[in-house]
Each structure stands twice: as structure tokens, then as C-alpha cells.
Amino acid sequence: LILIYFFLNTVLGLFPWTRPVARILFQLILNPLQSLWQGLLAALPDVAFLVVLWFVVRYILKLVRAFFNGIGIGRIRLEGFDPEWASPTFKIVRVAIIAFALVIAYPYIPGSDSAAFKGVSVFAGVLLSLGSSSFIANMIAGLSMTYRGAFKVGDRIRVGDVTGQVEEVKLMVTRVVTPKNERVIMPNSNILSMEVVNYSQMAADKGVILHSVVGIGYDTPWRQVEAMLLDAAARTDGLKSDPPPFVLQTLLGDFAVNYQINAYTADANRMPAIYSQLHANIQDVFNEHGVQIMSPAYEADPQTPKVVPPDKWYEAPAKKPG
């Protein structure tokens, strides 16, 4: 196309009666280039201002980042300000500084006073407001959770039906890994509207209580049952002796009494394993003392108690330790 243009311009310029057409072709290219050059020269002061503003904002952000990094690593301490808040607070301050800089820079952007530029800006703003409602909701929820201190990375939590360890907390979503190694991605807006149980925070304080219920017949003395349940808790690794475990009688049923063993643990991440070991120890202790744990569908007393004697604990394929 360029070669054709110059060919036509040259050929038409050779003849007197076609020279006006050649001049018109020349002006078609020259006028836009001249307008661009004049516009660039006129915009140089504004462009220089924008460049200076960019450098100023850049170094202000570096200073702010250094300040909040100091808070995050503990070099700078502010009363009532948690070091874990440093990173999200820096992000908020950074957005505010950039937004303020854009407000200052807007009048100096070449063409910002034109109707076309204003129309595109309004159109982009409408699209953003219509399509980002869930985005804004999740972002605000993520910031709210950060300052609420509901949980942090590494905590074991329960949100609704999901229980697991917090792997990552982002501005939009939170990733939780369940005990079955399932990675659940939860929108922050959903978490903000639901109850959050933080086992790790309770375990780090006094300890989180693990509990289990067994149904025992009325013919077994309740004092003996409580003693056996406490014995089972004492045998379980991961359960604390201080505060001591305790037993509650939660129900006097038609055929059995429901006993609930409660014990404290400081290791929230091992809760499934501790529960499993506690249940195994309960079975062992009750079998050792010949006390039958009632089945859910109870009809009558069997001829022989439903217990497993110690000499049958390690029937094949089970292997006796040691």
C-alpha cells in the first residue's frame, strides 16, 4: 500500500493537469502527521508532569511497603496493631495512594477533556459496576475477615460442613484442606455470612474438648463407667491431664445411660487421629472389665455379654504389637 501510494503520488505529480490530485494525496498523509506532532509538542508539559508524578508515587509506595514490612517482621511495633494485619493494610493503603494519584493525573492525561475519552470512561465504569458486585463483595469480605481475626494460615477450622486446615487466605477466596486431603476453595463472602469454629485458637488457649458418647446398661454402676472412660482418656496420646478429663451423663434412655467422655487437647490438627485412638481405648477398657456397650437396636439381654475378651483381641489378621 505504501509503494502504491508513493507511485501514484509521483506519477500524478509528473503531469500539470494531475498535480492537484497529487497534492491532495500528499496532504492526506501530511496533515495527520502534522496534527500528531503538534499534539505531542502541546502535551509535553503534561507528559512531563505525569512522569514526575509516577516517580513520586513509586517511591512513596516503596516507603510505605518498607514501613509495613517492618511491622510484619516485628521491627516496628504499633500498640493494638497485629503484625498479621501489615500485609492487607499495605494493600489497602497502596490502592488508596494509586487512586489518589489517578485523580491528580486525570486532568493531565492527553485527550482527557475530549468527549470520546469521557464516553469511554463512563462506559467502562458502568461495566465495572454491573459486573463486579460479587468481586467487590468477596474482596470486602476478605478484608473484614483479616481484621476480625477469625483464623490464619495453618489453623484448623470448621465453616458450615467443611472442616480442615487453612492453607491460604486470599483477598477473594480461602483455601482449606480437609482431613481427606480435599482442597476446598471457599468464597470469602460465604465465609463471612457463616459461623466459623477455630479449633486451633481454642487449643492454644485452654485446649479444645474432644468428646464421645457410649450407651451402657443400667446394671453397670455409673461410677465404674466413669472410671473406665477416664482410664481410656488417660491412655490416649494427645489428651491433656490438666485440665483433667470429665464425664457427663447426657441421657437416661429406655435401655441405657448415655455417658459422654470429655477431654482436652492442645493439638487441633490431630483431632481425627486422637478420636480414633480414644475410641479404640474405650473398647479395650470396657472389654477388659467385661462391660457391654449397648447396641443401638436393643431388644433383650443376650445369653453372653457382647464383649471381646483380651485373649481374642489379636485374632487374625490383627498382629500383637511387640
Side-chain angles (χ1 to χ4, degrees):
L1 291 176
I2 294 176
L3 290 175
I4 292 174
Y5 167 77
F6 280 107
F7 173 77
L8 291 175
N9 189 63
T10 302
V11 171
L12 293 176
L14 294 176
F15 304 98
W17 55 86
T18 57
R19 261 179 216 141
V21 178
R23 292 194 191 97
I24 293 174
L25 287 177
F26 184 71
Q27 292 296 328
L28 288 176
I29 298 298
L30 181 62
N31 289 340
L33 293 176
Q34 184 178 5
S35 299
L36 288 174
W37 176 251
Q38 292 175 351
L40 179 62
L41 293 178
L44 280 179
D46 293 341
V47 173
F49 176 83
L50 294 176
V51 172
V52 173
L53 179 64
W54 181 80
F55 278 104
V56 171
V57 172
R58 179 184 177 187
Y59 283 99
I60 289 176
L61 290 176
K62 285 187 175 182
L63 290 174
V64 174
R65 181 191 293 273
F67 174 74
F68 282 105
N69 284 342
I71 295 177
I73 63 179
R75 289 183 180 178
I76 302 175
R77 297 186 179 182
L78 299 178
E79 185 177 357
F81 192 91
D82 195 327
E84 296 178 356
W85 298 348
S87 178
T89 304
F90 166 70
K91 294 177 182 178
I92 297 174
V93 174
R94 180 177 61 183
V95 171
I97 293 175
I98 293 175
F100 183 71
L102 289 176
V103 172
I104 296 176
Y106 183 84
Y108 296 91
I109 298 175
S112 61
D113 55 345
S114 65
F117 190 93
K118 294 177 182 178
V120 171
S121 301
V122 172
F123 180 70
V126 171
L127 289 181
L128 183 64
S129 61
L130 293 177
S132 63
S133 57
S134 61
F135 176 86
I136 299 298
N138 284 320
M139 184 176 64
I140 294 176
L143 294 174
S144 301
M145 288 193 309
T146 298
Y147 293 102
R148 189 174 62 170
F151 52 81
K152 60 182 182 297
V153 175
D155 285 354
R156 184 178 182 84
I157 64 172
R158 188 184 76 232
V159 182
D161 297 331
V162 178
T163 300
Q165 189 173 4
V166 179
E167 181 185 46
E168 190 177 22
V169 180
K170 291 291 188 180
L171 195 61
M172 301 292 297
V173 298
T174 297
R175 292 179 172 86
V176 178
V177 179
T178 69
K180 302 302 182 184
N181 204 28
E182 301 166 332
R183 185 170 282 103
V184 182
I185 301 176
M186 310 180 68
N188 288 334
S189 59
N190 292 351
I191 298 177
L192 192 63
S193 62
M194 301 174 68
E195 295 180 351
V196 178
V197 179
N198 192 323
Y199 296 106
S200 296
Q201 286 186 355
M202 294 185 290
D205 185 14
K206 188 177 180 180
V208 60
I209 295 180
L210 305 187
H211 60 277
S212 187
V213 178
V214 294
I216 307 299
Y218 284 95
D219 55 339
T220 304
W222 65 265
R223 294 175 180 84
Q224 180 187 17
V225 177
E226 290 192 1
M228 289 188 293
L229 289 173
L230 294 175
D231 185 15
R235 297 184 187 185
T236 304
D237 295 333
L239 294 181
K240 301 173 65 174
S241 58
D242 185 26
F246 59 92
V247 177
L248 299 176
Q249 298 185 32
T250 59
L251 177 65
L252 299 177
D254 294 335
F255 306 104
V257 181
N258 285 356
Y259 297 87
Q260 184 186 81
I261 176 65
N262 297 267
Y264 294 85
T265 182
D267 192 353
N269 292 327
R270 289 188 60 242
M271 286 173 55
I274 296 174
Y275 263 122
S276 179
Q277 187 179 0
L278 174 62
H279 293 157
N281 289 333
I282 290 175
Q283 294 180 70
D284 286 347
V285 172
F286 277 71
N287 286 329
E288 289 173 6
H289 294 84
V291 176
Q292 174 180 319
I293 299 177
M294 309 296 290
S295 59
Y298 180 87
E299 294 183 0
D301 291 325
Q303 293 181 355
T304 58
K306 293 183 178 180
V307 298
V308 181
D311 58 345
K312 295 187 179 294
W313 284 3
Y314 300 100
E315 295 285 343
K319 294 181 180 180
K320 189 173 184 179

